[in-house]
Amino acid sequence: MAHWLIKSEPSAYSWEQLAKDKKTSWTGVRNAQAQINLKAMKVGDRCFFYHSGEGKEIVGIAEVVKAAYPDPTDKDGKAVTVDVKAVEPVKAPVTLAAIKADPTFKELKLVRQSRLSVSPVSDEHWKLIMKMSAAPKKPDNK
């Protein structure tokens, strides 16, 4: 099983909306590298759901339930989409700032190619982010 990160502006399509819908097609992706990543996704692969723009944090876990097929929103007929379902929210959101603060993540595509909407996540990075998401939040010392 491979791991991925999918990004969406919460105002366009949020984790809460996916949880309500239970399943969706990940349409509208046009970037060439992101398209390659969509084509590599397999049924059963897990994805971090990342809120870009507002929030900039990993908020949930989704699962690929249908592998790449033609994206019906692409008038040129070149793009693909996959179907994903909501699995569960992460216990605690993991912010981009927290990820960037840890040198272990310097090779993570989210850090290296921050605008890429669909990117791979190594097994090591997946485990570390899951650990970060389970850690209790430290109180602010103000």
Side-chain angles (χ1 to χ4, degrees), residues 5 7 31 33-34 37 109 113-120:
L5 182 134
K7 294 169 69 174
N31 174 278
Q33 184 61 54
N37 293 335
K109 293 287 187 202
Q113 294 177 279
S114 60
R115 296 186 46 80
L116 193 58
S117 62
V118 179
S119 59

Side-chain angles (χ1 to χ4, degrees), residues 2-7 26 29-43 45-47 64 66-69 78-84 107-110 112-122:
H3 297 107
W4 304 92
L5 182 134
I6 54 177
K7 294 169 69 174
W26 207 253
V29 176
R30 300 296 182 261
N31 174 278
Q33 184 61 54
Q35 277 290 304
I36 290 168
N37 293 335
L38 283 173
K39 290 173 185 173
M41 290 178 155
K42 305 280 185 247
V43 171
D45 285 356
R46 291 286 171 106
C47 310
V64 178
K66 185 175 180 182
Y69 63 95
K78 295 177 183 171
V80 298
T81 185
V82 298
D83 289 356
V84 296
E107 296 300 320
L108 182 68
K109 293 287 187 202
L110 178 63
R112 294 177 49 93
Q113 294 177 279
S114 60
R115 296 186 46 80
L116 193 58
S117 62
V118 179
S119 59
V121 176
S122 71

Side-chain angles (χ1 to χ4, degrees), residues 42-111:
K42 305 280 185 247
V43 171
D45 285 356
R46 291 286 171 106
C47 310
F48 283 129
F49 192 109
Y50 178 85
H51 279 168
S52 59
E54 317 124 44
K56 293 189 179 165
E57 58 190 4
I58 293 170
V59 294
I61 298 170
E63 182 177 313
V64 178
V65 293
K66 185 175 180 182
Y69 63 95
D71 183 338
T73 68
D74 180 22
K75 293 181 181 102
D76 296 330
K78 295 177 183 171
V80 298
T81 185
V82 298
D83 289 356
V84 296
K85 72 173 184 178
V87 174
E88 63 185 351
V90 293
K91 289 180 178 65
V94 178
T95 65
L96 179 60
I99 291 168
K100 284 185 169 183
D102 185 337
T104 309
F105 293 107
K106 70 179 186 289
E107 296 300 320
L108 182 68
K109 293 287 187 202
L110 178 63
V111 173

